[in-house]
């Protein structure tokens, strides 16, 4: 039996505001609207069912009611932090690893794909609510909790309960929100240890990869690192190291 989130327990978290809904179109859209209406930093939106969730590149991200941790969090970074916006998605993935790594064999593929057994367990999408007069950014995610194999939106997805015991979603939502707050605070403060922490858990480093680039191009090579600005570094067969800001990475299995 899937049960709804405990909204009162969530509202006891050390965050200024938690907006709970049993059902909504998109927690990101709800929180962007709230941000423009003056919601304080660290306002969160959580729901038991999201009917119009989106992933990167406009991809649909769907799940049955009460089967995910579906949430968004609002930050109001300084203009200086916005200049480092490229690393924020990586930091978001790192926060998920902080929460899940003690209980699951979880890895982080560049930039922020959270994987279990090579299959995606979490979708993450950040959206800018506004840049002026002051920046406001919403970070949203859907973490698969109790989906069965038949309920998965795509074959390469997975859920926590497919590989582990039953999960208390309310506790997990709270843990994720607080981990996000910790890591995003580090990001806004330009903590020099942050990217080192990311590199320690990024499974792409050292892998043979294929990077699908904009314009239907691709690059084959070895991922030799992730730079401090978040760019993945791939050494191609001719020995040249390419720094890439955007692209879908596929880890290649060597025969």
């Amino acid at each position: 039996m899937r049960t709804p989130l405990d909204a009162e327990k969530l509202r006891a978290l050390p965050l200024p505001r938690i907006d709970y809904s049993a059902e909504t179109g998109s927690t990101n859209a709800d929180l962007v609207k709230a941000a423009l209406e003056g919601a304080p930093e660290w306002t969160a939106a959580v729901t038991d069912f999201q009917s119009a969730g989106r992933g990167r590149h406009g991809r649909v991200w769907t799940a049955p009611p009460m089967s995910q941790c579906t949430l968004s969090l609002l930050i109001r970074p300084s203009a200086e932090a916005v200049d480092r916006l490229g690393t924020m998605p990586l930091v978001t993935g790192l926060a998920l690893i902080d929460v899940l790594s003690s209980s699951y064999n979880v890895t982080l593929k560049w930039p922020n794909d959270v994987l279990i057994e090579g299959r995606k367990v979490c979708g993450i999408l950040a959206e800018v609510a506004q840049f002026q007069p002051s920046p406001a950014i919403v970070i949203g995610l859907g973490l698969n909790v109790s989906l069965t194999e038949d309920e998965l939106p795509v074959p390469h997805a997975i859920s926590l309960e497919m590989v582990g015991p039953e999960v208390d979603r309310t506790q997990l939502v709270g843990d994720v929100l607080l981990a996000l707050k910790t890591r995003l605070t580090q990001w806004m403060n330009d903590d020099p240890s942050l990217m080192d922490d990311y590199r320690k858990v990024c499974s792409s480093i050292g892998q043979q990869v294929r990077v699908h680039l904009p314009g239907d191009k691709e690059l084959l090579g070895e991922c030799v690192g992730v730079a401090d600005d978040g760019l993945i570094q791939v050494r191609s067969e001719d020995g040249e190291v390419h720094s890439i800001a955007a692209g879908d990475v596929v880890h290649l299995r060597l025969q």
Side-chain angles (χ1 to χ4, degrees):
M1 289 289 294
R2 290 169 174 152
T3 57
L5 294 167
D6 185 336
E8 291 307 309
K9 184 175 180 180
L10 290 174
R11 291 188 181 110
L13 293 170
L15 297 171
R17 173 175 154 186
I18 302 281
D19 294 339
Y20 166 79
S21 59
E23 179 178 345
T24 191
S26 162
T27 56
N28 265 27
D30 293 344
L31 202 48
V32 166
K33 181 175 182 292
L36 297 176
E37 293 171 350
E41 184 171 54
W42 306 120
T43 294
V46 299
T47 189
D48 278 315
F49 178 61
Q50 181 171 255
S51 61
R54 291 167 293 117
R56 292 203 307 268
H57 311 302
R59 294 167 182 152
V60 176
W61 187 265
T62 60
M66 297 179 286
S67 66
Q68 281 191 331
C69 291
T70 307
L71 59 92
S72 299
L73 189 64
L74 170 65
I75 62 172
R76 295 187 177 277
S78 66
E80 291 77 18
V82 170
D83 289 339
R84 294 179 273 104
L85 202 56
T87 56
M88 192 197 68
L90 284 67
V91 170
T92 305
L94 178 59
L96 269 294
I97 296 295
D98 291 342
V99 173
L100 298 174
S101 60
S102 62
S103 301
Y104 304 92
N105 183 16
V106 62
T107 60
L108 187 59
K109 185 181 75 171
W110 183 91
N112 60 4
D113 282 351
V114 183
L115 307 179
I116 294 175
E117 298 179 358
R119 299 164 71 179
K120 191 168 180 176
V121 73
C122 184
I124 298 171
L125 180 67
E127 298 184 77
V128 177
Q130 65 178 29
F131 279 122
Q132 299 295 334
S134 59
I137 298 172
V138 170
I139 301 99
L141 62 87
L143 173 60
N144 293 338
V145 174
S146 64
L147 284 84
T148 64
E149 192 80 45
D150 291 341
E151 293 172 326
L152 296 173
V154 291
H156 58 269
I158 200 169
S159 72
L160 298 180
E161 291 186 8
M162 286 173 62
V163 295
E166 185 175 345
V167 173
D168 181 334
R169 280 194 314 127
T170 299
Q171 181 66 46
L172 184 56
V173 166
D175 290 345
V176 169
L177 286 171
L178 295 181
L180 286 170
K181 183 179 180 182
T182 296
R183 288 299 190 177
L184 289 167
T185 297
Q186 286 182 282
W187 174 75
M188 289 190 285
N189 292 337
D190 199 14
D191 187 325
S193 69
L194 197 53
M195 287 307 297
D196 284 338
D197 288 347
Y198 175 86
R199 283 185 282 263
K200 289 174 185 176
V201 300
C202 179
S203 63
S204 297
I205 297 173
Q207 291 273 357
Q208 293 296 316
V209 298
R210 176 187 293 113
V211 187
H212 296 282
L213 302 169
D216 292 327
K217 299 178 181 179
E218 68 177 31
L219 174 67
L220 291 170
E222 180 187 359
C223 175
V224 294
V226 176
D228 286 344
D229 58 4
L231 273 60
I232 189 173
Q233 300 165 318
V234 177
R235 183 170 57 221
S236 55
E237 291 181 352
D238 61 6
E240 182 179 355
V241 175
H242 305 259
S243 295
I244 301 165
D248 285 336
V249 171
V250 177
H251 291 177
L252 302 177
R253 292 183 175 88
L254 297 180
Q255 300 301 319

